[in-house]
Amino acid sequence: MEEDLSGLNLVELIDRLEMVLTPEPVSLWPQTWGWVWLGLAVAALLAYGLHRFIHWRRANAYRRAALEELARVHDDPAAIAAILRRAALAAYPRTNVASLYGDDWLAFLDRTLGGSSFSNGPGRVLATAPYTPAPPSDGLASLAADWVQRHKGNAYP
């Protein structure tokens, strides 16, 4: 049954080859509806995550602006007091923040940060800084930056 192919040249041997059938191309479309639903769910979660990230980024824009200003003014207590006031007005209702001054203002800052660094620490100078010239206070700039970064949500129930 075997054929003698010894007398054939290369071209004749190639002509005797049979072509291999190629399989149908594999579809990249999911084979079951479960994968389609999973893809839609993942896309929805990604869209929701992007939406929340954009919302968080916009809600904290005042923090970034305040930190940039604090870096520019260094240790000027009057400028730091103004920056903290603007940041507090952006974060809390105006009716709760705008009328505060002196010890009430320091108590508000302490309550929203946690601790007593404003009432009993380097932040004490903020009570009078907008009204009278005050010398630079050690640690005031870092305390103000800490408040801008970490102050909690609404301090009033």
Side-chain angles (χ1 to χ4, degrees), residues 3 18 26 29 35 38 40 67-68 79 95 119 122 130 142 147:
E3 235 179 294
E18 293 181 22
V26 177
W29 190 252
W35 288 109
L38 179 64
L40 290 174
L67 288 172
E68 287 174 10
T95 57
S119 297
S142 63
W147 183 87

mmCIF file of all heavy atoms in Angstrom, residues 3 18 26 29 35 38 40 67-68 79 95 119 122 130 142 147:
data_model
loop_
_atom_site.group_PDB
_atom_site.id
_atom_site.type_symbol
_atom_site.label_atom_id
_atom_site.label_comp_id
_atom_site.label_asym_id
_atom_site.label_seq_id
_atom_site.Cartn_x
_atom_site.Cartn_y
_atom_site.Cartn_z
ATOM 1 N N GLU A 3 3.440 3.783 -1.278
ATOM 2 C CA GLU A 3 3.910 4.231 -2.577
ATOM 3 C C GLU A 3 5.403 4.492 -2.513
ATOM 4 O O GLU A 3 5.901 4.972 -1.514
ATOM 5 C CB GLU A 3 3.213 5.556 -2.896
ATOM 6 C CG GLU A 3 2.496 5.579 -4.168
ATOM 7 C CD GLU A 3 1.834 6.902 -4.387
ATOM 8 O OE1 GLU A 3 0.910 7.244 -3.633
ATOM 9 O OE2 GLU A 3 2.254 7.605 -5.266
ATOM 10 N N GLU A 18 -1.429 17.182 1.011
ATOM 11 C CA GLU A 18 -2.841 17.555 1.116
ATOM 12 C C GLU A 18 -2.943 18.763 2.047
ATOM 13 O O GLU A 18 -2.273 18.823 3.079
ATOM 14 C CB GLU A 18 -3.664 16.393 1.670
ATOM 15 C CG GLU A 18 -3.732 15.225 0.723
ATOM 16 C CD GLU A 18 -4.576 14.104 1.291
ATOM 17 O OE1 GLU A 18 -5.417 14.374 2.182
ATOM 18 O OE2 GLU A 18 -4.380 12.974 0.850
ATOM 19 N N VAL A 26 -12.238 31.597 16.300
ATOM 20 C CA VAL A 26 -12.897 31.609 17.594
ATOM 21 C C VAL A 26 -13.472 33.004 17.839
ATOM 22 O O VAL A 26 -12.774 34.007 17.713
ATOM 23 C CB VAL A 26 -11.908 31.233 18.719
ATOM 24 C CG1 VAL A 26 -12.570 31.318 20.069
ATOM 25 C CG2 VAL A 26 -11.348 29.847 18.471
ATOM 26 N N TRP A 29 -16.681 37.159 21.323
ATOM 27 C CA TRP A 29 -17.899 37.506 22.030
ATOM 28 C C TRP A 29 -18.167 36.452 23.096
ATOM 29 O O TRP A 29 -17.954 35.268 22.863
ATOM 30 C CB TRP A 29 -19.060 37.599 21.043
ATOM 31 C CG TRP A 29 -20.291 38.173 21.654
ATOM 32 C CD1 TRP A 29 -21.418 37.498 21.958
ATOM 33 C CD2 TRP A 29 -20.507 39.516 22.059
ATOM 34 N NE1 TRP A 29 -22.331 38.340 22.517
ATOM 35 C CE2 TRP A 29 -21.789 39.592 22.593
ATOM 36 C CE3 TRP A 29 -19.735 40.672 22.020
ATOM 37 C CZ2 TRP A 29 -22.331 40.762 23.094
ATOM 38 C CZ3 TRP A 29 -20.268 41.832 22.517
ATOM 39 C CH2 TRP A 29 -21.550 41.877 23.040
ATOM 40 N N TRP A 35 -21.430 36.243 31.319
ATOM 41 C CA TRP A 35 -20.257 37.093 31.114
ATOM 42 C C TRP A 35 -20.654 38.494 30.682
ATOM 43 O O TRP A 35 -20.007 39.472 31.042
ATOM 44 C CB TRP A 35 -19.326 36.466 30.077
ATOM 45 C CG TRP A 35 -18.619 35.277 30.608
ATOM 46 C CD1 TRP A 35 -18.822 33.974 30.266
ATOM 47 C CD2 TRP A 35 -17.605 35.280 31.601
ATOM 48 N NE1 TRP A 35 -17.997 33.164 30.984
ATOM 49 C CE2 TRP A 35 -17.230 33.949 31.831
ATOM 50 C CE3 TRP A 35 -16.974 36.272 32.344
ATOM 51 C CZ2 TRP A 35 -16.264 33.579 32.740
ATOM 52 C CZ3 TRP A 35 -16.006 35.899 33.263
ATOM 53 C CH2 TRP A 35 -15.656 34.578 33.460
ATOM 54 N N LEU A 38 -21.803 40.187 33.831
ATOM 55 C CA LEU A 38 -20.640 40.481 34.672
ATOM 56 C C LEU A 38 -19.877 41.692 34.116
ATOM 57 O O LEU A 38 -19.459 42.574 34.871
ATOM 58 C CB LEU A 38 -19.722 39.263 34.753
ATOM 59 C CG LEU A 38 -18.461 39.454 35.595
ATOM 60 C CD1 LEU A 38 -18.834 39.690 37.055
ATOM 61 C CD2 LEU A 38 -17.553 38.252 35.458
ATOM 62 N N LEU A 40 -21.116 44.139 32.322
ATOM 63 C CA LEU A 40 -21.919 45.334 32.592
ATOM 64 C C LEU A 40 -21.817 45.758 34.054
ATOM 65 O O LEU A 40 -21.746 46.954 34.360
ATOM 66 C CB LEU A 40 -23.380 45.085 32.205
ATOM 67 C CG LEU A 40 -23.651 44.965 30.706
ATOM 68 C CD1 LEU A 40 -25.104 44.563 30.464
ATOM 69 C CD2 LEU A 40 -23.326 46.267 30.008
ATOM 70 N N LEU A 67 -3.884 74.434 51.881
ATOM 71 C CA LEU A 67 -2.520 73.955 52.121
ATOM 72 C C LEU A 67 -1.504 74.713 51.263
ATOM 73 O O LEU A 67 -0.396 75.016 51.729
ATOM 74 C CB LEU A 67 -2.425 72.455 51.864
ATOM 75 C CG LEU A 67 -3.111 71.578 52.902
ATOM 76 C CD1 LEU A 67 -3.132 70.123 52.453
ATOM 77 C CD2 LEU A 67 -2.438 71.705 54.247
ATOM 78 N N GLU A 68 -1.880 75.038 50.035
ATOM 79 C CA GLU A 68 -0.984 75.833 49.186
ATOM 80 C C GLU A 68 -0.769 77.224 49.774
ATOM 81 O O GLU A 68 0.358 77.736 49.791
ATOM 82 C CB GLU A 68 -1.558 75.950 47.781
ATOM 83 C CG GLU A 68 -1.473 74.678 46.971
ATOM 84 C CD GLU A 68 -2.174 74.790 45.638
ATOM 85 O OE1 GLU A 68 -2.574 75.917 45.251
ATOM 86 O OE2 GLU A 68 -2.341 73.746 44.976
ATOM 87 N N ALA A 79 -2.242 85.783 58.759
ATOM 88 C CA ALA A 79 -2.557 85.119 57.488
ATOM 89 C C ALA A 79 -3.053 83.696 57.739
ATOM 90 O O ALA A 79 -3.994 83.239 57.084
ATOM 91 C CB ALA A 79 -1.326 85.106 56.592
ATOM 92 N N THR A 95 -23.500 79.724 59.191
ATOM 93 C CA THR A 95 -24.135 80.152 60.444
ATOM 94 C C THR A 95 -23.421 79.594 61.665
ATOM 95 O O THR A 95 -23.504 80.177 62.746
ATOM 96 C CB THR A 95 -25.609 79.707 60.475
ATOM 97 O OG1 THR A 95 -25.668 78.291 60.301
ATOM 98 C CG2 THR A 95 -26.401 80.398 59.386
ATOM 99 N N SER A 119 -6.526 75.631 71.861
ATOM 100 C CA SER A 119 -6.843 76.347 73.104
ATOM 101 C C SER A 119 -5.663 76.399 74.061
ATOM 102 O O SER A 119 -5.481 77.384 74.774
ATOM 103 C CB SER A 119 -8.016 75.666 73.814
ATOM 104 O OG SER A 119 -9.168 75.733 73.028
ATOM 105 N N PRO A 122 0.134 75.953 70.595
ATOM 106 C CA PRO A 122 0.602 77.028 69.713
ATOM 107 C C PRO A 122 -0.525 77.740 68.978
ATOM 108 O O PRO A 122 -0.343 78.866 68.520
ATOM 109 C CB PRO A 122 1.529 76.316 68.722
ATOM 110 C CG PRO A 122 1.169 74.874 68.805
ATOM 111 C CD PRO A 122 0.624 74.646 70.175
ATOM 112 N N PRO A 130 -5.839 88.151 64.242
ATOM 113 C CA PRO A 130 -6.423 89.043 63.234
ATOM 114 C C PRO A 130 -6.570 90.485 63.714
ATOM 115 O O PRO A 130 -6.745 91.387 62.906
ATOM 116 C CB PRO A 130 -7.799 88.434 62.965
ATOM 117 C CG PRO A 130 -7.752 87.053 63.486
ATOM 118 C CD PRO A 130 -6.738 87.060 64.572
ATOM 119 N N SER A 142 2.406 74.209 61.216
ATOM 120 C CA SER A 142 2.186 72.761 61.112
ATOM 121 C C SER A 142 0.864 72.360 61.757
ATOM 122 O O SER A 142 0.184 71.455 61.274
ATOM 123 C CB SER A 142 3.351 71.989 61.737
ATOM 124 O OG SER A 142 3.441 72.260 63.115
ATOM 125 N N TRP A 147 -4.752 70.717 60.861
ATOM 126 C CA TRP A 147 -6.207 70.931 60.945
ATOM 127 C C TRP A 147 -6.838 70.866 59.557
ATOM 128 O O TRP A 147 -7.876 70.243 59.376
ATOM 129 C CB TRP A 147 -6.532 72.272 61.597
ATOM 130 C CG TRP A 147 -8.010 72.456 61.752
ATOM 131 C CD1 TRP A 147 -8.772 72.031 62.786
ATOM 132 C CD2 TRP A 147 -8.906 73.063 60.816
ATOM 133 N NE1 TRP A 147 -10.091 72.338 62.557
ATOM 134 C CE2 TRP A 147 -10.209 72.970 61.354
ATOM 135 C CE3 TRP A 147 -8.753 73.669 59.583
ATOM 136 C CZ2 TRP A 147 -11.324 73.477 60.704
ATOM 137 C CZ3 TRP A 147 -9.863 74.155 58.929
ATOM 138 C CH2 TRP A 147 -11.137 74.063 59.488
#
